[in-house]
Amino acid sequence: MSKYKLLALDLDGTLLDKTSRITKVNARAVRLAQQAGVQIALCTGRNLTESRVFNSQLEAPADWIVIANGAAAERLSDGVQLTFNGLDRQRCEAVFAICAQFDTDPCLYTGGSLYYGREFLRFLEEIRKRGTTSLDETAEGYFFIDKWDKWRALLDREDGRILKAILHDLDPEVVDRMIQTLEQTGLFELAPSVMYGGALKNVEINCKGVHKGQGLAQLAARLGIGMDAVMAIGDSDNDLTMLRMAGLGVAMENAAPHIRAAADVCTGSNTEDGVKQAIYQYILEENA
């Protein structure tokens, strides 16, 4: 019997391949872990609508989805929710002010929706030019906002339900300046996402103290599981806190060097079914 009772899986760059699919061998490995008595949590920066779609690909569904970098969680069997801390009005206004300063627009996440603007579309276009299918702006729950009066109306309508924001720019140096400005406010938990060796970059914004590690710890406490019995697998900066806080933090081979260095062990890349490899080695304790 595995000593790990809860397995936390990131989606993008971890469980998902380059085409944003869960491979059959990864899905089978997750099911085997579940059959061995391990509870499964998808820990993602995405919203619930998207996460449920990916969860259906596992065929043996995860018990919990922890979304928006730990800001909220839902138990799939009955819809019970754990809500942590989203971005309040003050923080949303601070994000809007920084968007105005840098002549950009945000992405804002609620539990079920993503609201995006032109900068997000430019970012997606650049990713697709590089051969990666990451997000689909036509997906259910995605809404395009093209004017600032509409962003204001959205904030009025969704006040108290915004879980996180993301700021994009095609110039990584601009993103670095945005990060510095955000840090100076003292209001936020920031997780930069660095892609293609630094050629592209964005920054994910949560309420101060809210991150995947905190969300996973609260979920584990609710389940009566100590963090020493939690195994987490991830590849990005927004996974760092859960990799460090879990009893076993597993970094993907495709993760940046500083993320691999922060983890306890490494596994194969997302194009090599690294999740399957880690599950077989550390949960099923046999060769893949």
Side-chain angles (χ1 to χ4, degrees):
M1 181 177 293
S2 172
K3 72 181 211 178
Y4 300 110
K5 306 303 179 188
L6 176 61
L7 172 61
L9 295 168
D10 172 51
L11 283 174
D12 294 285
T14 299
L15 189 58
L16 304 185
D17 64 16
K18 283 187 67 175
T19 63
S20 287
R21 297 287 300 177
I22 299 174
T23 66
K24 290 183 178 180
V25 293
N26 272 343
R28 181 174 184 272
V30 172
R31 292 195 298 272
L32 289 174
Q34 199 169 41
Q35 291 167 14
V38 178
Q39 297 206 50
I40 310 297
L42 300 183
C43 292
T44 175
R46 294 180 182 244
N47 62 37
L48 280 170
T49 301
E50 297 173 282
S51 301
R52 290 191 191 104
V53 171
F54 291 118
N55 188 61
S56 68
Q57 295 178 23
L58 292 174
E59 297 178 12
D63 295 314
W64 287 86
I65 293 176
V66 181
I67 63 164
N69 295 348
E74 178 179 295
R75 185 166 62 201
L76 292 170
S77 60
D78 56 11
V80 167
Q81 293 190 1
L82 294 178
T83 299
F84 310 133
N85 296 313
L87 298 174
D88 58 18
R89 186 76 183 221
Q90 177 193 10
R91 289 173 172 81
C92 288
E93 293 285 1
V95 170
F96 279 14
I98 290 168
C99 287
Q101 180 179 341
F102 288 90
D103 191 26
T104 188
D105 46 28
C107 287
L108 297 180
Y109 280 76
T110 65
S113 301
L114 166 65
Y115 300 94
Y116 66 93
R118 291 186 178 91
E119 199 62 43
F120 176 74
L121 291 180
R122 285 192 283 265
F123 205 81
L124 281 187
E125 181 181 1
E126 190 63 30
I127 288 173
R128 287 166 182 160
K129 286 179 182 176
R130 296 167 181 269
T132 301
T133 303
S134 178
L135 297 169
D136 179 3
E137 71 275 16
T138 66
E140 181 184 357
Y142 278 37
F143 302 97
F144 177 61
I145 308 292
D146 61 351
K147 296 180 180 178
W148 271 105
D149 60 344
K150 294 181 180 179
W151 282 110
R152 286 285 172 192
L154 166 67
L155 186 54
D156 290 338
R157 185 172 70 250
E158 297 285 8
D159 189 16
R161 290 186 288 272
I162 303 296
L163 294 180
K164 77 163 188 175
I166 304 181
L167 297 185
H168 303 83
D169 196 281
L170 295 183
D171 185 346
E173 292 185 1
V174 172
V175 176
D176 287 338
R177 293 200 297 272
M178 289 193 289
I179 290 171
Q180 291 173 2
T181 306
L182 288 160
E183 287 175 337
Q184 290 170 4
T185 69
L187 296 172
F188 303 112
E189 196 76 32
L190 305 175
S193 291
V194 180
M195 290 159 273
Y196 310 108
L200 285 179
K201 192 173 189 178
N202 63 32
V203 58
E204 301 187 49
I205 305 166
N206 278 74
C207 183
K208 189 71 173 179
V210 176
H211 46 71
K212 286 189 181 182
Q214 180 241 31
L216 183 59
Q218 292 196 35
L219 173 58
R222 182 185 183 98
L223 298 174
I225 296 172
M227 288 299 286
D228 60 335
V230 176
M231 175 173 156
I233 311 178
D235 74 300
S236 298
D237 281 89
N238 66 10
D239 300 317
L240 272 174
T241 53
M242 73 173 187
L243 293 179
R244 288 168 172 156
M245 293 172 66
L248 182 67
V250 183
M252 303 295 290
E253 193 276 332
N254 50 287
H258 71 281
I259 295 168
R260 297 198 302 270
D264 299 301
V265 296
C266 295
T267 187
S269 73
N270 64 321
T271 60
E272 300 169 330
D273 297 312
V275 167
K276 176 206 71 172
Q277 296 175 32
I279 288 173
Y280 272 83
Q281 183 170 0
Y282 300 110
I283 290 178
L284 303 178
E285 297 182 349
E286 57 185 84
N287 293 325

